[in-house]
Amino acid sequence: MDCQEARDLLEEHRRGELPPEAAASVEEHLARCALCRRVRQADDALASMVRSLRRTPASPALHRRIRRIGREPVRPLRWLARPWVAAAVAAAVVLLALSPWLHFRRDPTADPFERLLQGAVTEHTRILLQLQVIAGEVSDPASAFATVRSLTNVQIPPAFAGDAELTLLTARPTVIATHKAAAVVLRDHAWFITTYFALPGKDLPMPNERRVQIEQYRPYMREFDGFHVIYWKQGEYAYLMVSDLDDPRSRQLFLKMRKAL
Protein backbone atom coordinates (compact mmCIF):
# COMPACT_ATOMS: atom_id res chain seq x y z
CA MET A 1 0.00 0.00 0.00
CA ASP A 2 1.42 3.39 -1.00
CA CYS A 3 0.82 6.76 0.67
CA GLN A 4 -2.09 7.74 -1.58
CA GLU A 5 -3.93 4.47 -0.94
CA ALA A 6 -3.33 4.77 2.79
CA ARG A 7 -4.53 8.39 2.86
CA ASP A 8 -7.76 7.37 1.13
CA LEU A 9 -8.47 4.92 3.97
CA LEU A 10 -7.23 6.84 7.00
CA GLU A 11 -10.62 8.21 8.03
CA GLU A 12 -12.38 4.84 7.79
CA HIS A 13 -9.47 3.35 9.75
CA ARG A 14 -9.78 6.04 12.43
CA ARG A 15 -13.48 5.24 12.83
CA GLY A 16 -12.86 1.48 12.88
CA GLU A 17 -14.94 0.89 9.75
CA LEU A 18 -12.40 -1.00 7.63
CA PRO A 19 -12.48 -4.76 7.06
CA PRO A 20 -9.71 -6.53 9.01
CA GLU A 21 -7.52 -7.10 5.97
CA ALA A 22 -7.67 -3.45 4.86
CA ALA A 23 -7.13 -2.22 8.42
CA ALA A 24 -4.04 -4.41 8.71
CA SER A 25 -2.65 -3.00 5.46
CA VAL A 26 -3.15 0.58 6.68
CA GLU A 27 -1.50 -0.23 10.01
CA GLU A 28 1.44 -1.83 8.25
CA HIS A 29 1.85 1.29 6.12
CA LEU A 30 1.59 3.61 9.13
CA ALA A 31 4.26 1.60 10.94
CA ARG A 32 6.80 2.40 8.22
CA CYS A 33 5.66 5.85 7.01
CA ALA A 34 6.28 8.80 9.31
CA LEU A 35 4.48 11.20 6.96
CA CYS A 36 1.18 9.30 7.01
CA ARG A 37 1.48 8.82 10.77
CA ARG A 38 1.67 12.59 11.16
CA VAL A 39 -1.43 13.01 8.98
CA ARG A 40 -3.29 10.46 11.11
CA GLN A 41 -2.13 12.13 14.33
CA ALA A 42 -3.27 15.53 13.05
CA ASP A 43 -6.70 14.11 12.20
CA ASP A 44 -6.95 12.49 15.64
CA ALA A 45 -6.04 15.76 17.34
CA LEU A 46 -8.55 17.74 15.32
CA ALA A 47 -11.30 15.19 15.97
CA SER A 48 -10.57 15.38 19.69
CA MET A 49 -10.78 19.17 19.57
CA VAL A 50 -14.13 19.06 17.77
CA ARG A 51 -15.54 16.62 20.35
CA SER A 52 -14.53 19.00 23.13
CA LEU A 53 -16.35 21.99 21.64
CA ARG A 54 -19.38 23.22 23.51
CA ARG A 55 -22.64 22.46 21.72
CA THR A 56 -25.26 25.18 21.88
CA PRO A 57 -28.85 24.06 21.18
CA ALA A 58 -31.02 26.04 18.78
CA SER A 59 -33.33 28.54 20.42
CA PRO A 60 -37.09 27.85 20.68
CA ALA A 61 -37.67 30.75 18.30
CA LEU A 62 -35.44 29.14 15.68
CA HIS A 63 -37.28 25.82 16.10
CA ARG A 64 -40.59 27.58 15.52
CA ARG A 65 -39.32 29.36 12.44
CA ILE A 66 -37.99 26.14 10.94
CA ARG A 67 -41.30 24.36 11.52
CA ARG A 68 -43.15 27.34 9.98
CA ILE A 69 -40.90 27.28 6.91
CA GLY A 70 -41.80 23.61 6.46
CA ARG A 71 -45.47 24.56 6.19
CA GLU A 72 -44.95 27.57 3.88
CA PRO A 73 -44.86 27.32 0.06
CA VAL A 74 -41.34 27.52 -1.30
CA ARG A 75 -40.39 30.91 -2.73
CA PRO A 76 -37.05 30.41 -4.47
CA LEU A 77 -34.20 32.67 -3.35
CA ARG A 78 -36.32 35.04 -1.19
CA TRP A 79 -36.04 32.95 1.96
CA LEU A 80 -32.23 32.92 1.62
CA ALA A 81 -32.19 36.63 2.37
CA ARG A 82 -33.66 36.18 5.84
CA PRO A 83 -31.06 36.87 8.56
CA TRP A 84 -31.76 33.74 10.56
CA VAL A 85 -31.32 31.58 7.45
CA ALA A 86 -27.99 33.23 6.75
CA ALA A 87 -26.98 32.46 10.35
CA ALA A 88 -28.01 28.84 9.97
CA VAL A 89 -26.08 28.50 6.71
CA ALA A 90 -23.03 30.07 8.36
CA ALA A 91 -23.31 27.60 11.23
CA ALA A 92 -23.44 24.72 8.76
CA VAL A 93 -20.35 26.02 7.00
CA VAL A 94 -18.49 26.26 10.31
CA LEU A 95 -19.55 22.71 11.17
CA LEU A 96 -18.07 21.49 7.90
CA ALA A 97 -14.94 23.50 8.53
CA LEU A 98 -14.50 21.85 11.90
CA SER A 99 -15.13 18.35 10.64
CA PRO A 100 -11.88 16.39 10.48
CA TRP A 101 -13.55 13.50 8.76
CA LEU A 102 -14.45 15.45 5.61
CA HIS A 103 -13.05 13.18 2.91
CA PHE A 104 -12.32 13.89 -0.73
CA ARG A 105 -12.34 10.98 -3.15
CA ARG A 106 -10.14 11.04 -6.22
CA ASP A 107 -10.86 9.44 -9.55
CA PRO A 108 -8.17 6.74 -9.93
CA THR A 109 -8.66 6.71 -13.71
CA ALA A 110 -7.96 10.43 -14.19
CA ASP A 111 -4.98 11.72 -16.13
CA PRO A 112 -1.90 11.86 -13.87
CA PHE A 113 -1.51 15.60 -14.33
CA GLU A 114 -5.20 16.15 -13.55
CA ARG A 115 -4.74 14.05 -10.43
CA LEU A 116 -1.82 16.27 -9.45
CA LEU A 117 -3.96 19.40 -9.80
CA GLN A 118 -6.91 17.80 -8.03
CA GLY A 119 -4.67 16.64 -5.22
CA ALA A 120 -3.29 20.16 -4.73
CA VAL A 121 -6.74 21.76 -4.72
CA THR A 122 -8.06 19.10 -2.35
CA GLU A 123 -5.20 19.66 0.07
CA HIS A 124 -5.63 23.45 -0.16
CA THR A 125 -9.32 23.00 0.70
CA ARG A 126 -8.45 20.70 3.59
CA ILE A 127 -5.98 23.28 4.91
CA LEU A 128 -8.60 26.03 4.67
CA LEU A 129 -11.00 23.92 6.74
CA GLN A 130 -8.40 23.13 9.36
CA LEU A 131 -7.33 26.77 9.64
CA GLN A 132 -10.83 27.50 10.94
CA VAL A 133 -9.88 25.54 14.06
CA ILE A 134 -6.10 25.73 14.24
CA ALA A 135 -5.14 29.33 13.53
CA GLY A 136 -1.78 30.91 14.16
CA GLU A 137 1.47 31.92 12.58
CA VAL A 138 4.87 30.26 12.23
CA SER A 139 7.41 31.99 14.47
CA ASP A 140 10.45 30.02 13.23
CA PRO A 141 10.18 29.34 9.48
CA ALA A 142 13.66 27.80 9.23
CA SER A 143 12.84 25.19 11.85
CA ALA A 144 9.45 24.45 10.31
CA PHE A 145 10.98 24.09 6.84
CA ALA A 146 13.70 21.79 8.20
CA THR A 147 11.06 19.53 9.79
CA VAL A 148 9.17 19.28 6.50
CA ARG A 149 12.38 18.54 4.62
CA SER A 150 13.25 15.71 7.02
CA LEU A 151 9.93 14.05 6.19
CA THR A 152 9.68 14.75 2.46
CA ASN A 153 13.26 15.42 1.29
CA VAL A 154 11.91 18.62 -0.30
CA GLN A 155 13.90 21.82 0.19
CA ILE A 156 11.50 24.74 0.77
CA PRO A 157 12.78 28.03 -0.69
CA PRO A 158 13.35 30.81 1.87
CA ALA A 159 11.02 33.03 -0.19
CA PHE A 160 8.10 30.94 1.09
CA ALA A 161 8.75 32.22 4.62
CA GLY A 162 6.76 35.36 3.77
CA ASP A 163 7.51 39.04 4.11
CA ALA A 164 5.85 42.28 5.19
CA GLU A 165 2.91 41.56 2.86
CA LEU A 166 2.61 37.79 3.33
CA THR A 167 2.38 35.93 6.66
CA LEU A 168 3.42 32.30 6.97
CA LEU A 169 0.59 30.34 8.59
CA THR A 170 1.90 26.79 8.35
CA ALA A 171 4.41 24.53 6.63
CA ARG A 172 3.58 20.84 6.50
CA PRO A 173 4.39 17.59 4.71
CA THR A 174 1.71 16.18 2.47
CA VAL A 175 1.07 13.80 -0.42
CA ILE A 176 -0.09 15.07 -3.83
CA ALA A 177 -1.13 12.33 -6.25
CA THR A 178 1.25 9.78 -4.64
CA HIS A 179 4.15 12.31 -4.54
CA LYS A 180 5.56 13.44 -1.21
CA ALA A 181 5.44 17.22 -1.16
CA ALA A 182 5.90 20.26 1.03
CA ALA A 183 2.90 22.56 1.55
CA VAL A 184 3.43 26.16 2.62
CA VAL A 185 0.43 28.35 3.48
CA LEU A 186 0.61 32.15 3.31
CA ARG A 187 -2.00 34.86 3.84
CA ASP A 188 -2.06 38.48 2.81
CA HIS A 189 -3.37 41.41 4.87
CA ALA A 190 -6.91 40.80 3.62
CA TRP A 191 -6.72 37.14 4.71
CA PHE A 192 -6.69 35.68 1.22
CA ILE A 193 -5.00 32.30 1.56
CA THR A 194 -2.47 30.86 -0.89
CA THR A 195 -0.90 27.42 -0.63
CA TYR A 196 2.36 26.62 -2.39
CA PHE A 197 3.30 23.00 -3.01
CA ALA A 198 6.87 22.00 -3.83
CA LEU A 199 7.67 18.47 -4.99
CA PRO A 200 10.39 16.73 -6.99
CA GLY A 201 9.70 17.63 -10.61
CA LYS A 202 12.01 15.43 -12.66
CA ASP A 203 9.29 12.96 -13.68
CA LEU A 204 6.39 15.45 -13.79
CA PRO A 205 5.05 16.78 -17.10
CA MET A 206 4.86 20.40 -18.21
CA PRO A 207 1.77 20.71 -20.44
CA ASN A 208 1.88 22.89 -23.54
CA GLU A 209 -1.79 23.87 -23.37
CA ARG A 210 -3.20 26.44 -20.92
CA ARG A 211 0.16 28.18 -20.67
CA VAL A 212 -0.06 31.90 -19.99
CA GLN A 213 2.45 34.69 -20.47
CA ILE A 214 3.35 36.49 -17.24
CA GLU A 215 6.21 38.79 -18.18
CA GLN A 216 9.04 36.45 -19.26
CA TYR A 217 7.48 33.32 -17.74
CA ARG A 218 4.95 30.88 -19.21
CA PRO A 219 3.42 28.84 -16.37
CA TYR A 220 0.39 26.60 -16.65
CA MET A 221 -2.68 28.38 -15.24
CA ARG A 222 -6.36 27.56 -14.90
CA GLU A 223 -9.33 27.85 -12.58
CA PHE A 224 -9.97 24.57 -10.79
CA ASP A 225 -12.92 23.97 -8.43
CA GLY A 226 -13.21 27.68 -7.74
CA PHE A 227 -9.49 28.29 -7.09
CA HIS A 228 -6.80 29.70 -9.33
CA VAL A 229 -4.03 27.16 -9.85
CA ILE A 230 -0.61 28.00 -11.31
CA TYR A 231 1.92 25.27 -12.04
CA TRP A 232 5.53 25.64 -13.10
CA LYS A 233 8.85 23.82 -12.97
CA GLN A 234 12.04 25.41 -11.77
CA GLY A 235 15.32 23.62 -11.23
CA GLU A 236 14.73 20.14 -9.82
CA TYR A 237 11.31 20.99 -8.41
CA ALA A 238 7.76 21.47 -9.62
CA TYR A 239 5.61 24.08 -7.89
CA LEU A 240 1.87 24.43 -7.55
CA MET A 241 0.23 27.61 -6.34
CA VAL A 242 -3.43 27.33 -5.28
CA SER A 243 -5.01 30.63 -4.36
CA ASP A 244 -8.24 32.29 -3.25
CA LEU A 245 -7.15 35.40 -5.15
CA ASP A 246 -8.73 36.50 -8.41
CA ASP A 247 -6.94 36.10 -11.75
CA PRO A 248 -4.96 39.38 -11.82
CA ARG A 249 -3.78 39.12 -8.22
CA SER A 250 -2.90 35.44 -8.65
CA ARG A 251 -0.68 36.40 -11.57
CA GLN A 252 0.94 39.20 -9.54
CA LEU A 253 1.66 36.88 -6.63
CA PHE A 254 3.06 34.20 -8.91
CA LEU A 255 5.37 36.76 -10.49
CA LYS A 256 6.54 38.02 -7.12
CA MET A 257 7.29 34.53 -5.83
CA ARG A 258 8.77 33.24 -9.11
CA LYS A 259 11.29 36.07 -9.13
CA ALA A 260 12.15 35.50 -5.48
CA LEU A 261 12.88 31.77 -5.82
Side-chain angles (χ1 to χ4, degrees):
M1 177 175 290
D2 61 24
C3 289
Q4 189 70 54
E5 293 170 330
R7 286 280 293 275
D8 283 344
L9 298 175
L10 279 183
E11 180 51 36
E12 287 87 346
H13 181 267
R14 190 182 68 80
R15 296 198 304 258
E17 297 177 354
L18 289 178
E21 183 177 346
S25 295
V26 172
E27 289 161 8
E28 179 184 356
H29 179 82
L30 291 174
R32 57 183 170 80
C33 181
L35 175 57
C36 288
R37 283 200 305 274
R38 285 174 64 92
V39 172
R40 171 59 191 271
Q41 290 165 2
D43 283 347
D44 287 344
L46 193 55
S48 177
M49 183 179 296
V50 170
R51 288 194 297 269
S52 69
L53 292 175
R54 179 181 177 183
R55 298 181 181 181
T56 303
S59 67
L62 180 56
H63 277 294
R64 289 194 297 271
R65 288 177 179 176
I66 292 173
R67 286 196 295 268
R68 188 165 60 248
I69 283 294
R71 296 192 295 269
E72 291 178 355
V74 175
R75 296 179 178 86
L77 300 181
R78 289 184 59 190
W79 66 278
L80 289 172
R82 300 178 182 178
W84 71 268
V85 174
V89 171
V93 170
V94 170
L95 179 61
L96 282 175
L98 294 177
S99 173
W101 48 85
L102 185 62
H103 192 59
F104 298 90
R105 292 292 184 182
R106 299 168 182 82
D107 179 4
T109 64
D111 176 82
F113 185 68
E114 289 293 312
R115 290 188 64 200
L116 185 71
L117 298 185
Q118 180 63 67
V121 171
T122 294
E123 186 65 10
H124 176 71
T125 305
R126 179 188 179 95
I127 289 169
L128 290 179
L129 297 177
Q130 293 180 345
L131 286 176
Q132 303 296 320
V133 178
I134 306 174
E137 299 175 4
V138 176
S139 59
D140 187 355
S143 177
F145 290 178
T147 298
V148 175
R149 183 180 183 183
S150 70
L151 295 168
T152 64
N153 200 33
V154 172
Q155 178 70 49
I156 301 176
F160 286 165
D163 55 22
E165 297 177 351
L166 296 170
T167 299
L168 177 62
L169 294 180
T170 185
R172 56 196 285 179
T174 189
V175 176
I176 304 297
T178 74
H179 301 277
K180 288 186 178 181
V184 178
V185 185
L186 299 165
R187 69 163 177 85
D188 64 13
H189 295 309
W191 271 93
F192 284 98
I193 307 295
T194 299
T195 303
Y196 290 95
F197 299 95
L199 60 162
K202 180 180 178 181
D203 299 324
L204 295 179
M206 187 67 219
N208 290 320
E209 71 280 1
R210 295 182 183 267
R211 302 280 289 274
V212 298
Q213 195 74 43
I214 304 178
E215 290 195 0
Q216 68 268 41
Y217 308 111
R218 293 190 66 248
Y220 175 100
M221 182 176 181
R222 65 185 279 197
E223 188 172 342
F224 200 109
D225 287 353
F227 299 104
H228 281 97
V229 180
I230 300 180
Y231 169 83
W232 74 100
K233 298 180 73 171
Q234 185 173 350
E236 61 181 300
Y237 290 109
Y239 296 95
L240 277 155
M241 170 183 155
V242 184
S243 181
D244 298 349
L245 295 168
D246 59 19
D247 186 290
R249 287 183 292 175
S250 293
R251 291 172 183 248
Q252 292 172 5
L253 186 55
F254 158 78
L255 186 61
K256 173 182 177 176
M257 196 62 70
R258 177 67 176 80
K259 288 181 175 181
L261 292 181

